[in-house]
Amino acid sequence: MDKLEDMASVCEFDPITGSIPATKVEITVSLCVLYTQGVESKQWREFGRTEVIDNTLNPDFVRKYILDYFFEEKQNLRFDIYDIDSKSPDLAKHDFLGQTFCTLGEIVGSPGSHLEKPLGGIPGKNCGTIILTAEELGNCRDCATMQFCANKLDKKDFFGRSDPFMMFYRSNEDGTFTICHKTEVVKNTLNPVWQPFTIPVRALCNGDYDRSIKVEVYDWDRDGSHDFIGEFTTSYRELSRGQSQFNVYEMWFVLICWCKPSVLCCSITQVTLLSFLVEAEHTFLDYIKAGYGRKYTQSPSWNPSQSTSLHYMNPYQMNAYAMALKAVGEIIQDYDSDKMFPALGFGAKIPPDGRVSHEFPLNGNVDNPYCNGMEGILEAYHESLKTVQLYGPTNFAPVINHVARYAAAVQDGSQYFVLLIITDGVISDMAQTKEAIVNIVLLLAERDIVQFVPFRDYMDRTGNHVLSMARLAKDVLAEIPDQLILYMKSRGIKPNQTPPDYSPPGLSPTPTV
């Protein structure tokens, strides 16, 4: 089942364990149990169990786990391996062999969606490894592009010729029909040539290639009372033959001879398929699995000394900036192979000379601003609060232009740049910021690429920020899968192509995720 419309995909998981040490006896009877974790309660819930495999230390499980995948959410998973000693469903009565923890995004974001992790959970013992693979379950993701023309249509207008258009209907299981496409109106002609149109195959026939497709032709009227011209039926299998004798459809209509009312004349009109092309509709997971990367940088703006500051370093809890960084970063880091991210700051006086900078590395290393994972970013952020001094103005344009320069140098799809800016909302260089964004749109994107999310809307007044931060990350990241797909399609990049290795241009490192 394909659920891309609501930004979810269904993933099928195949756990394969390797080198599991036997316990007690040489023959091991293995079982893998999957647990999922709730966002708010953090409690583990059993999701499913594989079949039991006898007499092997390297079981290859056949039964798959099917879960809904959401890019913008952190979906924690736990895999437990057991040696089954009896027919009892109670896991406490069986020998625990080991476990591993990961996220769904970590599996999907691994090269080829293939993740190998060590098993642990038994102190001082090598528990072996587990191999996890993910595959998107698609339901006919092809898109068909076709074009039709007609010849000698019935003249429905008293003055002038007809204004014909076509209506396509998909047949349902109960014998009814559902409209799935309407062409444009071609004005004042009996021999129309309609523009090519593209439609998902699942919308046309729901993946059943032999299901009937009904096509009706009408003469458009301004008042909405369109005149029926004729109809024919076909199927996706017939249409897929392309332009041929099999795709010339006849429609009969009756002409009344007004000079002799008793005389009826039958006439034939033809609708012809001119072209038919099928292309795969690639998904976000297709590009991730093929190894196309995301580039990601984080830029918080800065006064940690006062408790009213968003940067206040409370010894008992994270400040607002750290919470936002962690919520978003923990999700998106799963899609980077080396987990190295550059983090930039702006709007502060920096050592050693106290000059005002709007583009400086949080770790203080101009030559290498990369931080190791989210923990590295948060550590660099907290250390920078001790060495820099908050200072205006707050300029966005330098950081935006910084990332744009590297994005412009890598337009082959091997890297996809995402810039996260966390700020108090004040923009001092509004004109320059608008210009920077417009330049990116004109040069790289040609679409809306900016997402503003007000952090204050997600603050939990009770102090329980787990669920609110999950909502924040979801809304910040929700548009990225569609944005990546649109970018790849606009460049004609398909996921079955091998992305080239990326080398940062110049001396300054690039953002990465």
Side-chain angles (χ1 to χ4, degrees):
M1 181 173 65
D2 188 4
K3 300 174 65 179
L4 291 177
E5 287 81 6
D6 60 359
M7 296 313 303
S9 298
V10 177
C11 284
E12 180 180 69
F13 290 90
D14 184 8
I16 306 171
T17 56
S19 305
I20 299 178
T23 59
K24 297 184 180 179
V25 293
E26 292 183 356
I27 297 177
T28 298
V29 182
S30 302
L31 170 75
C32 180
V33 184
L34 169 64
Y35 296 86
T36 59
Q37 190 179 50
V39 175
E40 187 173 11
S41 66
K42 293 299 181 181
Q43 293 182 346
W44 291 103
R45 178 181 63 87
E46 183 178 327
F47 184 86
R49 303 182 183 187
T50 65
E51 76 282 10
V52 175
I53 297 183
D54 299 339
N55 195 25
T56 179
L57 299 180
N58 300 285
D60 188 352
F61 298 107
V62 175
R63 188 173 299 166
K64 311 296 192 300
Y65 304 119
I66 300 178
L67 300 90
D68 288 336
Y69 161 73
F70 299 90
F71 165 79
E72 64 274 16
E73 296 182 9
K74 185 180 181 183
Q75 298 171 266
N76 292 319
L77 306 177
R78 187 183 97 204
F79 296 87
D80 289 2
I81 308 296
Y82 286 88
D83 175 23
I84 303 302
D85 298 321
S86 67
K87 294 183 179 180
S88 173
D90 185 1
L91 294 175
K93 296 183 178 181
H94 305 288
D95 294 325
F96 176 70
L97 297 182
Q99 67 181 185
T100 193
F101 299 84
C102 65
T103 67
L104 187 48
E106 192 176 353
I107 304 174
V108 170
S110 299
S113 297
H114 181 96
L115 177 65
E116 183 172 342
K117 297 205 70 172
L119 291 168
I122 303 178
K125 184 176 181 181
N126 178 12
C127 298
T129 60
I130 184 169
I131 301 171
L132 304 165
T133 59
E135 181 179 357
E136 184 177 12
L137 297 182
N139 178 18
C140 191
R141 299 205 311 259
D142 292 342
C143 282
T145 300
M146 62 190 82
Q147 183 179 21
F148 288 87
C149 70
N151 185 39
K152 298 180 180 178
L153 290 180
D154 187 15
K155 182 177 180 295
K156 292 294 184 180
D157 294 338
F158 187 77
F159 297 105
R161 299 178 176 86
S162 296
D163 304 319
F165 66 93
M166 305 174 73
M167 302 273 282
F168 289 76
Y169 299 85
R170 178 186 68 247
S171 62
N172 302 315
E173 297 291 345
D174 59 0
T176 61
F177 288 87
T178 300
I179 185 170
C180 56
H181 183 74
K182 176 182 177 182
T183 69
E184 80 282 6
V185 176
V186 182
K187 290 296 191 71
N188 196 30
T189 180
L190 302 180
N191 303 290
V193 178
W194 288 281
Q195 292 293 321
F197 65 90
T198 301
I199 183 173
V201 173
R202 63 179 179 273
L204 195 61
C205 64
N206 203 27
D208 181 356
Y209 292 174
D210 295 310
R211 180 173 297 197
S212 292
I213 300 170
K214 182 173 70 172
V215 184
E216 297 177 342
V217 181
Y218 287 89
D219 170 40
W220 177 84
D221 286 331
R222 187 181 301 275
D223 60 5
S225 59
H226 310 307
D227 300 318
F228 179 75
I229 295 179
E231 69 176 49
F232 63 90
T233 59
T234 183
S235 67
Y236 177 82
R237 193 176 301 279
E238 289 294 323
L239 292 172
S240 64
R241 296 185 179 187
Q243 186 180 25
S244 67
Q245 60 181 349
F246 301 103
N247 281 311
V248 177
Y249 303 95
E250 294 182 342
M251 298 189 305
W252 293 77
F253 59 90
V254 176
L255 297 174
I256 300 177
C257 183
W258 294 105
C259 59
K260 298 178 180 179
S262 61
V263 178
L264 300 178
C265 300
C266 293
S267 184
I268 301 175
T269 185
Q270 289 184 335
V271 176
T272 303
L273 177 66
L274 294 178
S275 63
F276 187 89
L277 176 66
V278 178
E279 291 185 313
E281 183 72 4
H282 301 301
T283 68
F284 175 72
L285 291 185
D286 290 333
Y287 288 103
I288 296 299
K289 190 172 183 179
Y292 289 84
R294 281 76 45 221
K295 302 280 243 186
Y296 175 62
T297 189
Q298 310 201 31
S299 297
S301 70
W302 305 104
N303 198 349
S305 60
Q306 299 177 350
S307 60
T308 56
S309 170
L310 295 175
H311 295 285
Y312 178 60
M313 297 179 65
N314 189 323
Y316 303 106
Q317 67 179 25
M318 290 184 176
N319 63 33
Y321 280 79
M323 284 193 295
L325 283 169
K326 190 173 188 293
V328 177
E330 282 190 339
I331 293 175
I332 205 167
Q333 72 174 353
D334 287 337
Y335 300 88
D336 178 70
S337 58
D338 60 9
K339 304 294 187 291
M340 297 298 292
F341 313 102
L344 307 175
F346 59 97
K349 288 184 176 181
I350 62 174
D353 54 2
R355 64 181 178 87
V356 177
S357 176
H358 302 288
E359 180 188 337
F360 60 90
L362 294 188
N363 63 6
N365 190 338
V366 178
D367 296 324
N368 184 13
Y370 286 92
C371 302
N372 188 4
M374 271 312 304
E375 295 303 319
I377 293 175
L378 291 173
E379 181 181 355
Y381 165 61
H382 290 138
E383 288 300 316
S384 67
L385 292 177
K386 303 174 184 177
T387 58
V388 304
Q389 178 186 354
L390 175 69
Y391 204 85
T394 303
N395 295 339
F396 282 19
V399 168
I400 296 173
N401 289 328
H402 173 94
V403 178
R405 284 194 298 270
Y406 293 101
V410 189
Q411 298 190 46
D412 57 8
S414 60
Q415 299 291 338
Y416 185 79
F417 289 73
V418 178
L419 171 62
L420 171 66
I421 298 179
I422 305 176
T423 181
D424 58 8
V426 178
I427 305 177
S428 304
D429 62 338
M430 181 62 77
Q432 292 84 350
T433 297
K434 288 181 178 179
E435 183 181 1
I437 294 173
V438 169
N439 288 338
I440 293 175
V441 172
L442 294 177
L443 178 63
L444 300 172
E446 300 174 353
R447 64 190 189 280
D448 180 14
I449 58 171
V450 181
Q451 172 83 340
F452 292 99
V453 177
F455 182 86
R456 62 180 177 274
D457 292 351
Y458 299 85
M459 294 299 293
D460 191 320
R461 296 181 179 180
T462 65
N464 182 9
H465 301 299
V466 175
L467 190 59
S468 60
M469 289 301 98
R471 289 175 44 240
L472 171 70
K474 182 176 181 179
D475 289 349
V476 168
L477 299 172
E479 294 186 3
I480 289 181
D482 274 353
Q483 291 284 5
L484 185 142
I485 293 171
L486 288 172
Y487 176 83
M488 297 298 183
K489 289 178 70 174
S490 69
R491 296 294 189 275
I493 300 170
K494 298 181 179 180
N496 57 346
Q497 300 171 355
T498 302
D501 294 334
Y502 175 70
S503 298
L507 296 177
S508 180
T510 59
T512 190
V513 142

